[in-house]
Amino acid sequence: MKISVSSAPLTDIKKDAVILFFQELENLLPAGNTKLAKQVDALVKTSPFKGKAGQTAVFPMNGKQIIVTGIGEPGRFHHALLEQAAAAAVRTGKAAGLKSFAMASTIKLKGLSESDYHLLAGRGAAWGTYSYDINKSDAKKAPACSLAFCGKVKSRNAIKTAEAQGEALVSTADVANMPGNQATPESIADWAKKMAKETGLGCRIMNTAALEKKGCGGILGVSQGSAKEPRMIILEHKGTDTKAKPIVLVGKTLTFDSGGISLKPGKGMGWMRYDKCGGMAVLAAMQMIGKIKPATPVIGILGAAENMPGSNAIRPGDILTAYKGKTVEVLNTDAEGRLVLMDALGLAADYKPQAIVDLATLTGACIVALGSSASAILGNDQKLVDTLIKNGELAGERLWQLPLYKEYTDDMKSDFADLSNLSKSGGAGTATAAAFLQEFVPDDIPWAHLDIAGTAWLESPKPYQAPGATLFGARLLAQWLVALD
């Protein structure tokens, strides 16, 4: 979506629709729009619109459409609601055949800076243009959409960032939503290589031979039951700060997870195309970084593999050797993500980074604990954890910290190897999985783990998005990395 700034008043702007935000029934138009506010308020009073989060309504006015969109109750506002309201408004407009939109350059919302408003509303509007229909035989190319912020703007940096991030989200979403027969480890590697070339990132792909030479027994073990070979995808933004150590982002990228021999129930297994969403968040974040080009060097690592119950698949009781030599007893082949990540984290540590952050749709226990309202964060460095939580709030992606006690590490010990991939007690699944991962990160490197199992995709439609990948994590990573400059 092309996002611009216009000096024209909202009432005069030559666009198909004007988007207005409401907090319940309070119009959030800034000062100077008294006549428009009165006209819209009069229309709202006679409609079912109550300004609830994600609720929209359309009113014809003076040759254009007015789309009102709600952010909900004043006492329960968080940044995601504004982004979702913008996305819902554009989706509503697109459904009505509208292509060009306008918003006020500021918003009357306490505690929200102008730059935050531009980033959230602009990025949300871009996300609202997206639909996944490439596999529909009657799909037509969607017309290009545009958005203008009307009025004085102090700085256009946030608007440029919103446009860049929106483009990255929309383009990555197609890969994230593809089924396992289309989004294979090899095809994702090819897409990453093409994206890297377009955005000025470095790209290195490790195939089976390279992984074997390196001794990455985790990702090789997970993939050995599949006809699809694994790939370790490494993207690099060099940055301009030559003295800075890099940040390394690691994403679990299981292109399809059947559970392996520890087969998942058939009901709902089709959603396991989204077990790659940790890697998709890293892929989108790296594209954002490639477009925005912060000073800090950033490395993105995607461990891409397919977990299938083929004749050569790993068995419960098998022992795998991770990169750098630790051994792991496989108690359940459906706890495969951590086996891929143990190699990726070892490779991440080789960069001697200032921090490592991994993202993974790792445990069903996280969904039980937090549902779809927040992702879990655990780590070995409280400053890093606090920083990511803060940037998540600003980016509209909420994190909730869970503890990482020594008892959880003890619970992952094996009688036959250094570690097992499942806890002995069966409890605290999210924390014990994180404790397992911690064993592959040197103590002197700050590290955080984000379990995005409950937030990575939607199984039912929302006003702001159809079912599919949310790319949760990409926004907060970009927010954090840009703030480091």
Side-chain angles (χ1 to χ4, degrees):
M1 171 180 262
K2 181 66 177 175
I3 306 178
S4 61
V5 176
S6 173
S7 59
L10 280 174
T11 51
D12 297 339
I13 189 75
K14 302 297 184 182
K15 297 290 183 181
D16 296 337
V18 171
I19 296 172
L20 304 181
F21 295 93
F22 274 72
Q23 192 165 48
E24 291 190 323
L25 292 177
E26 181 185 357
N27 194 323
L28 299 181
L29 268 170
N33 294 278
T34 305
K35 183 178 178 180
L36 176 60
K38 285 183 177 180
Q39 289 176 318
V40 174
D41 286 344
L43 291 169
V44 165
K45 283 180 181 179
T46 61
S47 77
F49 180 79
K50 302 298 179 186
K52 296 179 181 178
Q55 186 182 18
T56 61
V58 183
F59 305 106
M61 182 187 291
N62 302 327
K64 60 171 66 74
Q65 303 297 314
I66 302 294
I67 304 175
V68 294
T69 184
I71 63 171
E73 303 170 40
R76 297 190 177 185
F77 175 75
H78 55 89
H79 283 192
L81 295 176
L82 178 61
E83 185 163 342
Q84 290 168 3
V90 170
R91 281 175 59 81
T92 297
K94 276 196 68 183
L98 309 178
K99 297 182 292 185
S100 58
F101 304 87
M103 296 178 184
S105 61
T106 60
I107 188 172
K108 190 175 63 179
L109 190 60
K110 187 177 179 181
L112 187 75
S113 71
E114 181 180 297
S115 61
D116 285 344
Y117 164 62
H118 289 156
L119 178 57
L120 294 164
R123 188 173 63 203
W127 187 241
T129 67
Y130 178 72
S131 60
Y132 180 69
D133 52 15
I134 61 175
N135 288 315
K136 294 181 179 179
S137 59
D138 60 350
K140 298 178 181 179
K141 186 177 180 180
C145 293
S146 65
L147 170 68
F149 285 101
C150 296
K152 292 182 179 179
V153 172
K154 295 177 183 177
S155 172
R156 301 195 180 195
N157 287 340
I159 293 173
K160 291 178 181 177
T161 300
E163 184 174 278
Q165 292 190 8
E167 288 174 354
L169 290 169
V170 168
S171 66
T172 310
D174 273 348
V175 186
N177 285 313
M178 283 181 184
N181 65 320
Q182 295 175 342
T184 63
E186 183 179 11
S187 68
I188 291 174
D190 290 342
W191 192 94
K193 190 183 298 183
K194 182 174 181 291
M195 180 274 288
K197 185 176 181 180
E198 293 171 348
T199 54
L201 298 173
C203 184
R204 180 164 63 95
I205 310 297
M206 296 176 68
N207 60 15
T208 297
L211 292 167
E212 288 173 346
K213 185 176 181 180
K214 204 74 171 175
C216 295
I219 189 171
L220 290 168
V222 169
S223 64
Q224 70 187 45
S226 170
K228 307 296 183 183
E229 291 191 0
R231 294 289 186 271
M232 194 73 76
I233 303 163
I234 302 173
L235 297 162
E236 181 176 3
H237 165 68
K238 291 184 177 180
T240 54
D241 187 347
T242 56
K243 295 181 179 179
K245 293 181 178 180
I247 298 288
V248 183
L249 312 176
V250 175
K252 172 189 171 185
T253 316
L254 264 292
T255 58
F256 186 78
D257 179 21
S258 69
I261 286 179
S262 305
L263 195 66
K264 291 179 180 292
K267 184 179 180 181
M269 195 192 289
W271 291 104
M272 286 299 98
R273 70 169 77 177
Y274 294 108
D275 211 17
K276 62 181 180 292
C277 282
M280 295 299 98
V282 171
L283 195 60
M286 290 304 298
Q287 187 176 359
M288 292 176 184
I289 293 305
K291 289 174 177 290
I292 298 167
K293 303 189 187 309
T296 303
V298 186
I299 309 294
I301 302 178
L302 285 71
E306 184 179 57
N307 187 24
M308 297 291 281
S311 61
N312 198 40
I314 53 173
R315 298 153 289 253
D318 283 1
I319 294 177
L320 305 178
T321 302
Y323 174 56
K324 295 189 177 175
K326 282 189 178 178
T327 57
V328 176
E329 181 187 9
V330 179
L331 297 182
N332 188 310
T333 65
D334 194 24
E336 85 300 325
R338 63 201 71 181
L339 300 176
V340 171
L341 288 172
M342 69 186 187
D343 290 333
L345 289 169
L347 292 169
D350 285 348
Y351 289 93
K352 301 188 184 307
Q354 57 176 297
I356 298 172
V357 178
D358 77 76
L359 299 88
T361 49
L362 207 62
T363 66
C366 188
I367 302 174
V368 173
L370 299 175
S372 60
S373 297
S375 290
I377 182 169
L378 307 93
N380 66 2
D381 184 274
Q382 193 58 47
K383 182 179 178 181
L384 175 61
V385 169
D386 290 342
T387 298
L388 290 170
I389 290 173
K390 178 183 177 182
N391 281 280
E393 290 172 354
L394 292 172
E397 294 184 328
R398 295 184 293 185
L399 304 175
W400 189 263
Q401 186 176 8
L402 296 179
L404 198 53
Y405 300 134
K406 181 180 180 298
E407 288 83 352
Y408 299 142
T409 303
D410 294 340
D411 209 15
M412 300 304 290
K413 300 296 183 184
S414 167
D415 294 329
F416 303 103
D418 297 328
L419 297 164
S420 60
N421 76 330
L422 210 62
S423 69
K424 294 177 182 178
S425 69
T430 301
T432 53
F436 175 91
L437 296 178
Q438 187 178 14
E439 291 296 295
F440 301 91
V441 180
D443 293 339
D444 61 346
I445 298 178
W447 159 78
H449 162 64
L450 276 59
D451 192 329
I452 61 171
T455 56
W457 73 89
L458 298 176
E459 294 187 8
S460 56
K462 299 289 185 183
Y464 54 87
Q465 184 189 323
T470 64
L471 296 174
F472 183 100
R475 299 165 183 82
L476 76 87
L477 290 174
Q479 180 87 28
W480 170 49
L481 292 166
V482 171
L484 288 174
D485 286 1

